[in-house]
Amino acid sequence: MRLDEMKIAVIGAGIGGLAVARALALRGADVTVFEQAPEIAEVGAGLQISPNGFAVLAALGLGDALRSVRGAAVHLCDYHGGEVLRLDLGRLTRAEYHFVHRADLIDLLAEGARAAGARFRLLQKVTDVGPGARPRVETASGAAFEADLVIGADGLHSVARTALNGITAPFFTRQVAWRALVPNAAGRGAEVRVHMGPLRHVVSYPLREGSLLNLVAVQERAAWTSESWSQTDDPQALRAAFNDFGAEVREMLAAVETVHLWGLFRHPVARVWQRGGVAILGDAAHPTLPFMAQGACMALEDAWVLADALSRAETVEAGLARYQVRREGRTRRVVEAASRNAWKYHLSFPPLRWAAHTALRAGGALAPERMIRQFDWIYAHDVTREAA
Ligand code: FAD
């Protein structure tokens, strides 16, 4: 199909929306991105971009320009600080593992989309999406826009997802995540550390030439918290929740000045991904808990495959159907793996913790290759080379 004859509306200038805008505009499509925010900007937070996500950035011609810290290792530690397991990321089948500031990734993708010819309409909150022969979007300002294809890359609270699937209710996982950036005062190297305690864990890794540390602290608790990054919290509450952790964690938390709090919800993977010239991708299609650090990487993969499937198909319908077939199984598997992962970090019963940590240590010592290769199905997969 000739993409250079297509008019495409993308809802959302997040990671998935910007990536698909560049991928389609590079193939000649006339792309307009609708973003509700007044500017394309991001909260200060980090992302791990594993080799499968990096493969998409490289295929989009943006790999060399990515500002990142190249990840060397993952350390799993007990909450007091004792090392349980060290995984050498250099042993991965594909080793391009990056720690990225979200704002840097968004800037790179936005610049890339613009340079390829995509246009942006900011302060345009899409309120309705209409599938059909000429799919359309309507915005809060009353404007309507018709296109050959509408792509919903509008994240967790997607309007496009609702248009295709109706309203689906998520459920609170009884876990909350605080996110913060602090100076890398201890000069931590290019590694992720996961400090695992009873019902809680803290993930930390360096960003921006190692000048900052990104912190994600997760706690299980009954009290409900909303699913929104705009909610801030008192840094003192974060420190109090982790005051029995070892000195390394307490020192990082002591430096926190601003912190965001996020309730972790489980959403079902969408049943309908495309209909009547409307398709969804990224968190709009398959919101993922952060425990495999794969949400943004899956959005990048979706973006590549959607553009690739359309460019190979005879019709929009055939391209969109092929897109869902190529993506649904893999994203479901990642979502399920992430949902299963939290309990491993949070074991609270001491003998169980001891047994699990001993097994991890032994596995790491006896079969380090096998420990790291268990992630090959995620990290070594390259959608830019997969069979179409
Ligand atoms: P988003 O990035 O959410 O973008 C959606 C865009 O759509 C936004 O710009 C929004 O303003 C816009 N929008 C929404 N509604 C409308 C509307 N009605 N009209 C117009 N515009 C609209 N992933 C990783 O790969 N690695 C990690 O290390 C990682 N860490 C994480 C840590 C935590 C604590 C959490 C919660 C998530 C983490 N993720 C990680 C997941 C990742 O952040 C998301 O999966 C990813 O941002 C999804 O991208 P997206 O483009 O689908 O949606």
Side-chain angles (χ1 to χ4, degrees), residues 271-293:
R271 201 172 42 79
V272 181
W273 287 39
Q274 50 83 24
R275 177 169 60 84
V278 176
I280 48 178
L281 60 70
D283 278 4
H286 44 74
T288 309
L289 289 172
F291 304 126
M292 297 293 289

Side-chain angles (χ1 to χ4, degrees), residues 236-250:
Q236 213 45 50
L238 167 62
R239 289 189 267 274
F242 291 84
N243 69 358
D244 56 339
F245 274 52
E248 187 183 354
V249 170
R250 281 187 281 115

Side-chain angles (χ1 to χ4, degrees), residues 12 14-16 35-36 48 102 126 154 179 262 283 293 295-297:
I15 292 162
E35 168 57 49
Q36 63 187 358
Q48 300 176 52
R102 280 182 82 99
V126 171
D154 44 348
R179 288 185 116 179
W262 174 263
D283 278 4
C297 293

Side-chain angles (χ1 to χ4, degrees), residues 11-17 34-37 42 46-49 102 106 124-127 153-159 177 179 205 216 229 262 264 281-284 288 290 293-299:
I11 313 169
I15 292 162
F34 292 81
E35 168 57 49
Q36 63 187 358
E42 262 296 334
L47 278 177
Q48 300 176 52
I49 297 295
R102 280 182 82 99
I106 288 287
Q124 295 290 327
K125 185 178 171 65
V126 171
T127 48
D154 44 348
L156 278 177
H157 306 291
S158 167
V159 177
R179 288 185 116 179
Y205 52 87
V216 179
W229 280 122
W262 174 263
L264 297 176
L281 60 70
D283 278 4
T288 309
Q294 279 298 309
C297 293
M298 287 300 115

Side-chain angles (χ1 to χ4, degrees), residues 133-154:
R134 290 289 289 162
R136 53 191 259 133
V137 297
E138 281 172 27
T139 68
S141 60
F145 186 91
E146 276 190 1
D148 300 305
L149 171 64
V150 171
I151 299 174
D154 44 348

Side-chain angles (χ1 to χ4, degrees), residues 54-79:
F54 184 75
V56 174
L57 294 175
L60 289 173
L62 302 174
D64 291 340
L66 181 67
R67 184 180 182 192
S68 72
V69 172
R70 182 80 179 257
V74 177
H75 286 261
L76 298 185
C77 306
D78 186 62
Y79 67 121

